Amino acid sequence: MSAIIPAVTVGPGQGPSTATKEPRAVAVGPADERTAGAGGAGPLDTYANNPPGGGQRAERRRSRLRARRVLWRESSLKRVRACGRTATDAQGVALVVSEGAPGERIAGYRGVATCGSVWACPRCSVVIAERRAQELREGLSGWGRRGGAVVLLTLTMRHHRGQSLDELWDGLASTWSRLMAGRPWKAFKAAAGLVGTLRVVEVTHGAAGWHAHIHALLFLDPAQGRRFATVGGADSEFEAHFAAISARVPVLASWRNLLRGRGFDAVEAAQDMRPVSLSAAGTELDRYFTKGSWDAAAEVTKGPSKRGSTGSRTPMQILADFVATGDADDLDLWREWEAGSERRRQMTWSRGFKRELGLTDVSDEEVAAEHRGDEAVLMLSALQWRVVRESALYWLLLERAEACDDLSELGGWLDSAAERALVDRPRAG
Ligand SMILES: [Zn+2]
């Protein structure tokens, strides 16, 4: 157990509700100094700019945690404002470690809320995407063992002025349903032996407003394809692909017609259906998860360098730009994104097919809240937790726990670091 931080360093008004009473920030940037400064531990960062050990992994985590902390203040979603911040366990928040790769220790906090937002959380979206990618790889390899094939279908749409993101998304979902109910799709399904689909939604924002894309893996069972029912063995994948491709033109035309009938549009050249090998299919779909991730956005942004008005951005890039610059228009866009994406699914399996592949259903919230074999190495008092989460100690403590030789020294290290953070705290403004 660690000692309590001397109460004398904490002035009145530093109670649990301090964070919510802080005046709303005018601007967030230039990001890290301000974020750390607001948390009262700027000076800690000056001797810890290079994370020990984990290097890149630690850098990425710092970036996610900083962005998430900006959302504690700016998000319109209650669960995102609480993610990684609000203690949920009466026992308090624990610093936990678990085994990573051989010789690697991974630290985290337990007893803290997780939002489970696949769309709006720089941390949870990464954790969820990793799990979904792993599930997909398992599903695909099982499908391969059963002699199946897959094709990748890409369908896009864009909105006209005056339509909200919400309308766009509703339009996407209902047009997909109508596509599958139509004759071209049914003909395609019968010809190619389509037995299941996995649909992933991707949204970007550009000069013409919001764009939505569907990337769907179509699972083909050659034995059920009408044209090639007698073909088997090594040729079956090729035959299934051939059947799919020969039926694709009416499917793509149907998508566009249905969109236009509902006041949307799509660029013809952006619609695509193509064969992919089972071993490449996971990677193809992975690309759409990772492209939209916080990590990719932070990599592109690298400081306040907003892209031109013609470049399209993922929502996480919009957030990264806001974190870097504090641009109020970006914040408005981000909040529109939060409202429009809330309760929407990123991945949708056709009914029963996930189970058919032997995969279990685990919700995004469950994935985000999971811990693997954690060992609590330090219990934090309520006050310690407030100091940690509002300062650079939020990640420095994790890095220390991952790199130090003797975990029993962490309590003492935290006490002195936290005391410095409180003493160095700039005047509240
Ligand atoms: Zn979260």
Side-chain angles (χ1 to χ4, degrees):
M1 289 299 283
S2 70
I4 304 292
I5 297 165
V8 68
T9 54
V10 183
Q14 298 290 333
S17 61
T18 302
T20 53
K21 279 191 288 186
E22 272 171 12
R24 190 168 175 274
V26 180
V28 175
D32 300 339
E33 289 70 22
R34 201 203 162 278
T35 310
L44 284 169
D45 250 356
T46 59
Y47 65 78
N49 279 332
N50 300 309
Q56 263 203 336
R57 195 176 66 80
E59 261 319 326
R60 285 199 298 268
R61 181 172 59 200
R62 283 186 180 195
S63 164
R64 288 174 200 155
L65 298 187
R66 283 178 174 127
R68 186 164 65 169
R69 191 150 61 191
V70 168
L71 292 179
W72 291 349
R73 206 167 47 225
E74 303 292 358
S75 176
S76 59
L77 305 174
K78 194 177 171 196
R79 60 176 175 149
V80 175
R81 289 198 303 273
C83 186
R85 175 195 200 185
T86 305
T88 54
D89 194 331
Q91 307 266 302
V93 176
L95 176 67
V96 293
V97 295
S98 54
E99 293 301 316
E104 190 186 40
R105 193 192 292 147
I106 296 176
Y109 298 111
R110 188 171 62 201
V112 186
T114 48
C115 72
S117 172
V118 72
W119 299 120
C121 181
R123 179 265 175 191
C124 295
S125 60
V126 172
V127 173
I128 296 163
E130 278 171 6
R131 167 65 76 89
R132 301 305 178 209
Q134 180 197 330
E135 282 175 356
L136 182 57
R137 279 191 294 272
E138 283 170 28
L140 286 167
S141 73
W143 191 238
R145 284 193 299 274
R146 288 161 62 175
V150 292
V151 294
L152 180 65
L153 173 65
T154 298
L155 299 170
T156 73
M157 71 185 289
R158 66 180 182 194
H159 73 160
H160 293 303
R161 280 198 179 286
Q163 286 166 326
S164 68
L165 174 60
D166 235 11
E167 287 173 284
L168 180 78
W169 216 315
D170 286 343
L172 186 78
S174 64
T175 308
W176 172 261
S177 302
R178 290 159 68 101
L179 176 75
M180 288 192 297
R183 194 174 300 153
W185 185 265
K186 286 180 172 165
F188 157 71
K189 191 175 168 178
L194 174 70
V195 291
T197 61
L198 170 61
R199 182 170 56 119
V200 175
V201 174
E202 182 199 356
V203 180
T204 58
H205 186 272
W210 297 100
H211 277 251
H213 316 247
I214 284 178
H215 303 288
L217 280 183
L218 311 180
F219 291 77
L220 311 179
D221 180 354
Q224 292 191 40
R226 184 188 295 152
R227 296 169 60 169
F228 302 99
T230 57
V231 178
D235 288 338
S236 64
E237 184 174 329
F238 171 80
E239 299 292 1
H241 282 157
F242 184 80
I245 296 312
S246 59
R248 77 176 189 163
V249 172
V251 168
L252 300 183
S254 170
W255 172 255
R256 197 156 176 235
N257 291 337
L258 288 169
L259 282 181
R260 287 183 165 173
R262 298 173 67 84
F264 298 100
D265 204 0
V267 182
E268 197 170 347
Q271 319 308 316
D272 184 46
M273 186 195 291
R274 62 196 160 89
V276 278
S277 73
L278 276 162
S279 54
T283 319
E284 290 276 351
L285 219 53
D286 252 22
R287 192 185 301 163
Y288 301 112
F289 292 133
T290 45
K291 183 165 100 182
S293 74
W294 168 261
D295 289 354
E299 190 53 39
V300 171
T301 303
K302 290 282 188 201
S305 60
K306 196 170 165 172
R307 258 131 296 145
S309 57
T310 52
S312 84
R313 294 182 290 169
T314 65
M316 285 298 177
Q317 279 167 349
I318 293 170
L319 176 63
D321 283 340
F322 172 68
V323 168
T325 65
D327 185 313
D329 290 341
D330 282 342
L331 181 58
D332 287 346
L333 272 181
W334 174 258
R335 287 194 175 143
E336 188 186 353
W337 166 249
E338 286 186 333
S341 64
E342 180 71 345
R343 290 183 301 280
R344 306 266 188 190
R345 282 208 212 168
Q346 183 190 43
M347 288 179 76
T348 312
W349 292 88
S350 55
R351 192 184 301 267
F353 195 65
K354 192 172 183 182
R355 200 172 324 122
E356 168 86 21
L357 288 177
L359 303 172
T360 42
D361 253 324
V362 187
S363 71
D364 288 349
E365 288 76 10
E366 287 168 318
V367 171
E370 267 175 12
H371 285 282
R372 344 165 258 169
D374 294 330
E375 176 201 349
V377 292
L378 191 64
M379 290 301 298
L380 306 185
S381 69
L383 174 58
Q384 281 177 319
W385 174 239
R386 280 203 302 281
V387 173
V388 165
R389 75 181 189 193
E390 302 295 333
S391 71
L393 285 170
Y394 197 36
W395 48 85
L396 293 178
L397 180 58
L398 299 178
E399 289 165 12
R400 184 87 186 180
E402 287 167 356
C404 71
D405 293 327
D406 182 2
L407 288 168
S408 69
E409 286 174 357
L410 280 174
W413 180 86
L414 175 62
D415 280 345
S416 57
E419 196 171 341
R420 251 191 338 272
L422 286 171
V423 170
D424 292 342
R425 182 190 287 265
R427 247 177 328 114

